[in-house]
Amino acid sequence: IMKREAFLKVVSKDSIEDFLRFTQIPKNTFDPFDLNELLQELPRKQKEVLWERLTHLLTQILMENPVEKWQRTEDDENNDDMEVEITPEMKQTVAVIQGVTAVVIASIPVVDENVNYKALLECAFILNGILPALPEAETILQDAIQRICELWWEKGLEGKEQLGKTAFIILLRKSLNKAGADIVRLWNLHQTLLCFDYDLEESNVVKDLLLQCFMSIKHIKKEEGRRFLSFLFGWNVNFIKMIHGTLMFLVAWKKMSEETLEILEHNCIQDFMHHGIHLPRNSSVHSKVREMLSYFHKQSKVRQGVEEMLYRLYQPILWRALKARNSEVRSNAAFLFVDAFPIRDPHFNTEEMDNEIQKQFEELFVSFNVFVKCSLGYFSPF
């Protein structure tokens, strides 16, 4: 209780050094103070007081050392002709913001419907607002504010849309440049994309980054990455057209190395084929996958290289699916076959092509009947 009371008192501009001692205490066995534990034990009224004092402290420190001043310091640091040290005031400002951020992160799990967290929301919004202005060197603080945005979205608190959008864009950029762990975190926030208005200019940056994901081997190779790519088809019908154009550009015009193109074909396009056959028709993703494959089928008639790719990728899965025991699988496979007909290798000689087309005509007749009867419910699943 004494620690609790002492901490509440130091959340003030008049006690900055003490505040920093509390929020920067090394985690060791000799110091019993634990910020997370303290927040869990605080009564509702004291939480509200803490968050009000926290927001007031952050506001005061930013008024004394405004963002515009940081940006001037950053510009000076980037000037090769000058050696500029970060001022003590700036160091203290960053330290206080780090302390505030640590308290906000510890506070989010203890927010519930019985507590008024308006002041905490204001504090989170202020941190979100200053994030783009932070010096590039302050990566730990940047990551901590990003974490606030993620946790706020995951908790489903008021204002989650704005904070979630910030976290989404940051993770989107990181997923293109860094390790696969960011792709998993991005997938966990994928619903945040629906908070972006497709038609607003601010969404153009998001569109560009999302299209780059379709050219990223990291996304294509990772399960959460492929889920994310499939989800993107549900954002906006006009974006689907942009995706089509990007994939066709990559495949038809060979804008990738052979190894990369092979990964794209087997881990992405063939994966779409598999889902087009095996996903239930009532799945929200199924119609988007089918639309994507239908676009490839149409392009095979006009884009060099697409016809041969379809023939090669469908070979291991389509013909087996047409004879599957499950009626919905047969129906899905039949739809794709009818839509893609004829599926052929343009490198066949005349005799091979005639034989292949004849075989497919016979299969087409059976598949069309299967599709119609399955659609009408005449076939049992076995």
Side-chain angles (χ1 to χ4, degrees):
I1 294 176
M2 289 176 63
K3 280 273 186 180
R4 189 190 307 167
E5 296 293 339
F7 179 65
L8 284 173
K9 286 180 181 176
V10 302
V11 183
S12 163
K13 184 178 171 297
D14 298 326
S15 310
I16 285 179
E17 294 302 325
D18 293 327
F19 172 73
L20 294 178
R21 271 196 290 273
F22 269 97
T23 56
Q24 296 175 354
I25 288 174
K27 303 298 179 191
N28 59 54
T29 54
F30 299 106
D31 179 31
F33 181 77
D34 184 295
L35 197 53
N36 296 298
E37 190 177 302
L38 179 139
L39 264 299
Q40 290 168 6
E41 293 175 352
L42 273 183
R44 175 185 60 82
K45 192 63 183 173
Q46 284 190 321
K47 286 176 188 157
E48 294 171 2
V49 170
L50 169 63
W51 296 334
E52 287 172 3
R53 292 173 69 89
L54 198 68
T55 303
H56 187 61
L57 170 61
L58 180 60
T59 303
Q60 283 187 307
I61 204 77
L62 289 175
M63 286 177 66
E64 283 195 357
N65 201 347
V67 172
E68 296 77 13
K69 194 173 176 181
W70 307 356
Q71 292 171 328
R72 284 199 300 272
T73 303
E74 186 81 352
D75 289 341
D76 289 343
E77 286 181 316
N78 292 331
N79 189 330
D80 294 335
D81 299 327
M82 297 178 65
E83 291 186 9
V84 179
E85 288 188 10
I86 298 179
T87 62
E89 292 79 8
M90 183 63 193
K91 286 181 181 177
Q92 187 181 70
T93 298
V94 170
V96 172
I97 296 171
Q98 285 175 326
V100 170
T101 301
V103 179
V104 174
I105 289 175
S107 297
I108 294 172
V110 303
V111 174
D112 57 38
E113 66 275 6
N114 298 317
V115 65
N116 182 346
Y117 61 94
K118 294 288 186 185
L120 186 67
L121 171 62
E122 184 181 351
C123 197
F125 271 7
I126 293 172
L127 291 171
N128 182 53
I130 66 174
L131 181 56
L134 286 175
E136 287 184 16
E138 300 299 334
T139 54
I140 294 176
L141 179 53
Q142 290 168 2
D143 289 344
I145 296 176
Q146 175 196 329
R147 188 65 186 142
I148 287 175
C149 296
E150 285 182 71
L151 292 171
W152 205 276
W153 170 266
E154 290 167 4
K155 184 82 172 178
L157 301 175
E158 181 186 343
K160 67 173 185 176
E161 294 81 7
Q162 190 59 42
L163 297 178
K165 284 161 70 174
T166 295
F168 182 84
I169 292 176
I170 293 172
L171 283 172
L172 192 53
R173 284 199 171 98
K174 285 185 176 180
S175 73
L176 290 164
N177 300 319
K178 295 187 179 179
D182 291 308
I183 294 177
V184 176
R185 291 168 69 188
L186 179 65
W187 169 246
N188 292 337
L189 287 179
H190 68 277
Q191 291 287 343
T192 314
L193 177 62
L194 304 181
C195 298
F196 289 90
D197 186 330
Y198 181 87
D199 297 315
L200 290 183
E201 189 175 342
E202 67 171 9
S203 298
N204 289 341
V205 172
V206 179
K207 294 174 198 172
D208 290 341
L209 292 170
L210 292 176
L211 291 175
Q212 288 180 48
C213 292
F214 282 92
M215 298 182 274
S216 164
I217 295 305
K218 285 181 290 188
H219 290 77
I220 294 168
K221 289 175 74 172
K222 200 164 186 67
E223 174 63 26
E224 289 84 359
R226 293 195 294 275
R227 287 185 200 167
F228 181 69
L229 295 179
S230 297
F231 172 76
L232 299 184
F233 287 90
W235 184 27
N236 185 283
V237 66
N238 291 315
F239 190 63
I240 294 176
K241 296 174 184 175
M242 295 178 74
I243 296 172
H244 291 168
T246 299
L247 287 178
M248 290 314 305
F249 178 77
L250 293 171
V251 174
W253 299 105
K254 310 290 186 184
K255 294 296 180 184
M256 290 181 162
S257 67
E258 270 190 43
E259 180 186 2
T260 304
L261 187 60
E262 184 178 345
I263 292 172
L264 173 68
E265 288 180 352
H266 288 88
N267 287 29
C268 184
I269 298 172
Q270 195 172 62
D271 202 47
F272 282 138
M273 292 173 172
H274 176 84
H275 289 316
I277 291 169
H278 293 281
L279 274 175
R281 280 196 296 275
N282 61 5
S283 164
S284 60
V285 179
H286 185 267
S287 62
K288 305 295 188 302
V289 172
R290 183 179 282 184
E291 185 178 347
M292 179 73 203
L293 292 172
S294 184
Y295 182 80
F296 272 102
H297 299 160
K298 290 183 178 68
Q299 292 299 310
S300 69
K301 310 299 188 291
V302 296
R303 294 287 184 105
Q304 185 180 3
V306 179
E307 187 175 41
E308 183 274 332
M309 179 198 71
L310 291 177
Y311 177 82
R312 180 164 36 82
L313 297 183
Y314 268 132
Q315 278 293 317
I317 55 177
L318 184 60
W319 312 117
R320 185 167 67 246
L322 288 169
K323 296 175 173 58
R325 289 170 61 83
N326 185 287
S327 64
E328 191 167 21
V329 170
R330 291 199 307 275
S331 175
N332 289 340
F335 177 88
L336 293 179
F337 180 42
V338 171
D339 192 56
F341 181 83
I343 302 174
R344 58 192 178 182
D345 186 341
H347 299 112
F348 281 160
N349 61 38
T350 304
E351 184 178 352
E352 289 173 327
M353 189 70 78
D354 289 345
N355 290 337
E356 183 67 27
I357 295 298
Q358 180 59 40
K359 185 175 73 174
Q360 289 193 25
F361 260 125
E362 294 168 5
E363 189 66 56
L364 182 66
F365 177 75
V366 175
S367 298
F368 184 74
N369 285 322
V370 167
F371 174 64
V372 171
K373 290 180 179 180
C374 286
S375 298
L376 295 175
Y378 292 163
F379 282 13
S380 69
F382 304 102

